[in-house]
Amino acid sequence: MKKATIAVTLIALGTAALAHGGVKNKDVMARMEVMKTIGDQMKIVGSMAKGQTAFDAAAANAALTEVAAQAAQIAPMFETQAEDPKSEALPIIWQQWDDFAKLASDTEIATEALIGSITTEADLAPALGKIGGTCKACHSKYRE
Ligand code: HEC
């Protein structure tokens, strides 16, 4: 491995550790990991949409497949009420569980419907907009 590659890898690992540093509750950690994976996949598509990385239809569709698979994990991962000082999850999640679970399924369904639909660069932004709207619908209610 080249020195530069190693440095970049270490920085990447360090950032991930920092973002979740100090989280003690394992259930909270697990659900944060699901969200982080979803976020990372969205970034892959986002940087293609911005022209920061080369357009790759297969990679974009693969990222959407992963987002849909992880979105299916949101409800099971949050079902048990778990708390941690580092968590940004609002306690009303468990008072309005059915609504929260529906919003999770909205993300899954919207993303699932878009898998395979990315054929040109112009397909990226509308897909991101549709999926992103479902992320926002939940975050604006249930995330600090
Ligand atoms: C049904 C609700 C819901 C949906 C849908 C949802 N999220 Fe989240 N997300 C949350 C909650 C709640 C947290 C805070 C979790 C915590 O800190 O315990 C969170 C946290 C995050 C985080 C921070 C994770 C970390 O490292 O701590 C990212 C990134 C994220 N979400 C991205 C997304 C993206 C991108 C989507 C859409 C593709 C999405 N989320 C859809 C509820 C949701």
Side-chain angles (χ1 to χ4, degrees):
M1 226 195 275
K2 281 186 203 143
K3 259 187 195 155
T5 318
I6 296 169
V8 169
T9 310
L10 288 177
I11 290 165
L13 290 173
T15 315
L18 206 70
H20 296 154
V23 177
K24 291 191 180 68
N25 185 292
K26 67 171 173 41
D27 292 335
V28 170
M29 186 63 136
R31 74 192 184 204
M32 283 177 165
E33 287 297 334
V34 165
M35 283 298 161
K36 194 185 169 293
T37 306
I38 292 178
D40 289 346
Q41 299 303 314
M42 291 291 277
K43 270 186 218 150
I44 293 175
V45 184
S47 61
M48 271 184 219
K50 286 187 210 150
Q52 289 166 345
T53 49
F55 175 68
D56 179 339
N61 286 305
L64 296 187
T65 305
E66 184 64 15
V67 171
Q70 295 292 326
Q73 293 303 309
I74 298 175
M77 283 291 167
F78 277 85
E79 204 162 11
T80 305
Q81 180 163 8
E83 277 155 33
D84 190 282
K86 297 264 175 180
S87 173
E88 294 171 336
L90 296 176
I92 54 160
I93 290 172
W94 295 279
Q95 287 156 25
Q96 304 179 16
W97 176 256
D98 291 349
D99 181 57
F100 182 86
K102 186 190 174 292
L103 290 172
S105 125
D106 285 351
T107 296
E108 186 192 349
I109 292 166
T111 310
E112 188 94 37
L114 289 162
I115 297 170
S117 76
I118 310 292
T119 53
T120 72
E121 215 165 332
D123 298 326
L124 294 171
L128 280 172
K130 275 186 201 152
I131 300 168
T134 69
C135 315
K136 208 175 156 207
C138 186
H139 288 169
S140 62
K141 263 176 144 173
Y142 296 112
R143 185 183 173 196
E144 260 171 29

